[in-house]
Amino acid sequence: MSRSTVEEVPLRRNRDFTLLWVGQGCAEIGFSASMLAFPLVVLAITGSATASGLVLAADAVAQAVLALPAGALVDRWDRRRVMLACELAQVVALASLVAALLLDGASVAHLVAVAAVLGACRALFEPAEDAMLPSLVPERQLATAVATNSARSSIGQMSGTALGGLLFGVARWAPFLLDLLTHAVAFVTLLFLRAPARRAEPAPHGRIGQEIREGLRFLWQRREIRVTTACAVALNLFFAAYYLVVVVLAARRGTPAGEIGVMAAMLGVGGVLGAVLAPSLHRRLSPHVAIAGVFWALAALSPLAVLVHNGYLLGVLFAAMALLAPTANTTIVTHQLLLTPDELRGRLSGSLNLAVGGAAAAGPALGGLLAESTTPTTAVLVSAAGMTVAALAVTVNPTLRHYPREEQNR
C-alpha cells in the first residue's frame, strides 16, 4: 500500500479536512434534530407509538439493508460525488417533508419514505467519508483526525438533540428545516473540497455480490479486524442494553424527567471530553491497554448504577463510562484504515457499520427484555456481568495483546 503524499501541516490548517469536518458537523446537528422530531411528529399526527417506531425503524432498516452493497459501490465510484449526491438527496427529501408539514399534508407513509432516504444516504455517505479520510490527512495525523471526527459526532448529537426539542416546540416543521439547511451547508462545503486522486484504481467491476464477498473475505482473513469487530459488537450490545436498563431504573425510582434528560446528555459530554483526550492517550497507551481499558472501565463503573439514586450523579457516571471509548475507537479505526487497501476501504466501513449497527440496535431489545423479565437492579448487574466477561476476553486475547502501534505525529 502506498504511503500518504498529503502535505503535512497542522490539522487545523488542513483546508480539505476542515471543510469536511465543518460541513459534516453541521449535518450531524441537523440529523440529530430530525431523529428527535420524527417520532414526535408521528405521535402528534396519529397518537400511535407503534407508528413512531416504524418511522425510526425505516431509517435503521435502510442503513442495515444497504450497508454491504453501499460499501462495494463506494469502492467503485468517485467518493466525493457519492457524498455530494447523498447530501443533495437529503435536501430534496427534507424539503418535501417541510412543505408537507407547512401545508398540513404530511402522512406516516411520507415520513417513513423520508426517513428511509436519510438512512440510505447515510449508508452510502459514511463509507465514502471513511474511505476518503486517509487521502485527506498524512498517515501520521490519521489518529488525530479520527479522534476529531469522534468529537464532531458527539457535539452534533448533543446540540442537535437539544435544538430539535426546542424547535419542535416552535413548529413541527422547524427541526426538519434545520436539517435541510445544515445538509445544504454540507453540500456547499463538499463543492469546495479538493479530493485527492485515488491511491489505487478501483478493482474491475464484477457483480455486486461478488464484490461484497471479496470485501468480506479480505476482512475475515485479517485476524486483527475480526477480533476488533467482535470487540465493538460486544461493547455496543451490552452497553446499549445497560443504557436502557438504567433509564428504566431511574424512571421507576421516580427520577424527574429533566434529570433523566441531563443524565442522557452527560453521555455525550463524556464522549466529547474523551475525544479531546484521545490523541494524547493514543500516543501514550499501548493499543492493548487502550482497547482493554474501555472494557474494564465499563465493567468497573456499570454496577454503581445500583447504588446511585440521583439522576445528575448517574449522568456523571455515564460521562465517566464514555471517557475512554474514543481512545479505543481511534486506535482500532486508525489501524484498520491503514491496513486496508484504498480500493477496499468502502467495503471495510460498510461491513463494520452493519455489524456494529446491528449490535447497537439489538442492545435496547436485550435491555428491554431484561427490564421486563427481572428487576431493574438485577438487569443492571446482568448487563455489567456481560461487560465483565467481554473485558476478560479482551484482556487475554493474544491478537489484542500484540496489537501493533501505528506511528503518529507528536
Side-chain angles (χ1 to χ4, degrees), residues 226-238:
R226 287 204 316 267
V227 172
T228 51
T229 299
C231 290
V233 168
L235 189 68
N236 279 271
L237 176 68
F238 287 116

Side-chain angles (χ1 to χ4, degrees), residues 386-397:
M387 287 186 269
T388 301
V389 171
L392 288 168
V394 167
T395 301
V396 301
N397 185 274

Side-chain angles (χ1 to χ4, degrees), residues 92-111:
V92 172
L94 289 162
S96 74
L97 182 55
V98 170
L101 289 169
L102 281 169
L103 298 173
D104 291 325
S107 65
V108 173
H110 191 175
L111 287 158

